[in-house]
Amino acid sequence: MEYIVNDCLDPYFNLALEEYLFTKENNHIYFWLWQNDNTIVIGKNQNAFQEINLKPVQENKVKVARRITGGGAVYHDLGNINFTFIVPSQGAKNYDFRRFTGQIAKTLQAFGLHAEHSGRNDLLLEGKKISGNAQYVGKTKILHHGTLLFSSDATVIGKYLNPLPVKLQTHGVGSVKSRVTTILAHLPQKISITDFKNELSQRICAEYEQVNIGCLTDQEIAQVNNLRDHKFSTYEWIFGASPEFNYSKSLLFNGCGVINLSMNLSKANIIESCKISGDFFGSGDINELEKLLISHTLTKNSIMEALKDVDLQHYFSALNKEDFYRLFVSGKP
């Protein structure tokens, strides 16, 4: 296993580093801890304008970044620790969060904490969230990363993020703040975040027979910076276009997440353009699916014809075509 030492606090560099190591042509196992300062990170398929409260974000100079994995928006401050695993996929096509959250939960037990996996991708302490996780399953590798809320300020999370009410209702809470807690609040013996990071990394590394500890070379840093400058820090990658649509519907699907479908429809209900966003997980490029739907009508026969050769779970984990069609039916679900 390669343990990467990375003290950078720049979210655009850190997210570029993940893609750089994920796309390297090797079968190495990578693991590292990292932090971002004052940053919102949204999922690959999310609409930034829907997920964030733009005015306070701009007023407080909060950075906004987009990652290459699905899932929901998260806020990072220096009280939060991020972890990343990159491992060979060994032919796996499905999302297996417990493989990695189990390692984190086991490590937290050494601190006297009993974290439990919950829902699609969370770790909970006493019923409240301390870790959200996301994955990208490629042809040869899996990238898994997550947050660990060590001492983050939960009050600002609710100020900057704008979760759909249906998600909070599903969890039986009225706000983001009431749903999360911090690791520090539950530690039997209080320690600094630096000591926690050091012990956490040592205990994760101890699970592997051989560990190489290394830093990036100057050449690797240059390549990551190139990816940072030309992709991850660009407006096009983070925000993209946000056109007006005359039809929009959002639904929360159990095991899949929130999917929002926005379309421009002709008077004959023909799809002229469409945009799919949400916090779902999937390996496919959602733009491919959007293009397939154009020129079809909202009738079930027409939509199913568009999807007849589509492996829908390539784009949405744990979703079938019948449920997907519910997005095209106007009115309440």
Side-chain angles (χ1 to χ4, degrees):
M1 192 256 280
E2 307 282 339
Y3 177 74
I4 306 298
V5 177
N6 175 33
D7 296 324
C8 180
L9 301 179
D10 175 10
Y12 309 115
F13 180 92
N14 288 332
L15 293 170
L17 174 60
E18 288 188 320
E19 181 168 296
Y20 171 74
L21 292 176
F22 183 77
T23 55
K24 286 195 75 169
E25 294 184 1
N26 61 40
N27 61 352
H28 294 180
I29 295 173
Y30 293 103
F31 170 72
W32 69 101
L33 301 176
W34 48 287
Q35 292 178 280
N36 291 327
D37 187 16
N38 200 30
T39 303
I40 291 171
V41 182
I42 62 174
K44 176 182 68 173
N45 300 305
Q46 290 190 297
N47 182 325
F49 296 102
Q50 291 178 339
E51 298 297 330
I52 66 176
N53 294 319
L54 197 57
K55 185 177 179 180
V57 164
Q58 291 176 333
E59 289 175 346
N60 291 280
K61 298 181 180 179
V62 180
K63 303 178 188 71
V64 181
R66 183 185 298 273
R67 59 183 185 266
I68 64 172
T69 59
V74 291
Y75 176 71
H76 293 174
D77 61 14
L78 294 182
N80 174 70
I81 302 167
N82 305 295
F83 60 90
T84 300
F85 292 93
I86 296 176
V87 302
S89 64
Q90 298 175 332
K93 294 183 179 180
N94 298 323
Y95 291 83
D96 181 7
F97 288 93
R98 293 174 186 268
R99 172 181 175 183
F100 302 95
T101 58
Q103 289 189 63
I104 298 298
K106 179 182 177 181
T107 303
L108 291 177
Q109 288 178 6
F111 295 91
L113 304 175
H114 298 281
E116 297 178 328
H117 188 100
S118 175
R120 292 186 305 161
N121 58 329
D122 293 342
L123 280 176
L124 308 184
L125 277 178
E126 297 184 11
K128 290 191 174 185
K129 181 176 176 178
I130 55 148
S131 175
N133 293 258
Q135 262 181 40
Y136 184 84
V137 180
K139 292 182 179 179
T140 62
K141 296 181 182 180
I142 296 172
L143 185 153
H144 179 107
H145 55 192
T147 58
L148 286 169
L149 300 176
F150 182 81
S151 58
S152 293
D153 184 354
T155 61
V156 301
I157 297 175
K159 181 168 69 172
Y160 297 144
L161 299 182
N162 188 33
L164 290 174
V166 67
K167 292 199 69 175
L168 296 176
Q169 291 164 9
T170 299
H171 293 287
V173 297
S175 67
V176 176
K177 179 184 176 182
S178 62
R179 192 191 163 206
V180 302
T181 187
T182 64
I183 291 171
L184 184 61
H186 297 266
L187 282 175
Q189 294 182 329
K190 306 305 180 186
I191 60 174
S192 70
I193 191 170
T194 300
D195 289 341
F196 179 80
K197 280 178 63 179
N198 290 339
E199 190 166 346
L200 178 69
S201 61
Q202 290 172 12
R203 290 185 177 276
I204 291 291
C205 290
E207 298 292 317
Y208 296 84
E209 291 184 4
Q210 182 177 351
V211 177
N212 297 318
I213 300 175
C215 300
L216 299 177
T217 65
D218 289 342
Q219 182 180 7
E220 288 174 324
I221 291 173
Q223 290 177 293
V224 175
N225 274 324
N226 183 64
L227 195 55
R228 174 206 184 277
D229 295 341
H230 292 91
K231 179 176 179 178
F232 284 93
S233 65
T234 65
Y235 184 93
E236 291 75 17
W237 170 253
I238 300 167
F239 290 96
S242 184
E244 295 294 326
F245 295 102
N246 57 23
Y247 175 100
S248 184
K249 187 171 184 179
S250 295
L251 289 176
L252 174 62
F253 297 96
N254 289 335
C256 176
V258 173
I259 302 177
N260 178 75
L261 173 66
S262 298
M263 299 183 289
N264 274 319
L265 302 174
S266 71
K267 291 182 179 180
N269 275 341
I270 295 173
I271 301 171
E272 296 179 335
S273 62
C274 72
K275 181 66 178 176
I276 299 170
S277 60
D279 66 357
F280 51 89
F281 294 106
S283 299
D285 182 350
I286 205 66
N287 292 327
E288 299 170 352
L289 187 58
E290 293 167 349
K291 291 175 182 177
L292 286 176
L293 294 169
I294 293 174
S295 299
H296 286 266
T297 66
L298 294 194
T299 64
K300 187 171 184 178
N301 285 343
S302 185
I303 298 302
M304 291 303 179
E305 176 66 21
L307 300 176
K308 67 178 182 179
D309 297 321
V310 173
D311 176 6
L312 203 61
Q313 295 204 5
H314 182 54
Y315 302 97
F316 310 105
S317 176
L319 186 72
N320 60 51
K321 293 178 182 178
E322 289 289 334
D323 280 341
F324 182 62
Y325 175 69
R326 290 166 52 198
L327 288 162
F328 297 84
V329 182
S330 60
K332 294 184 178 180

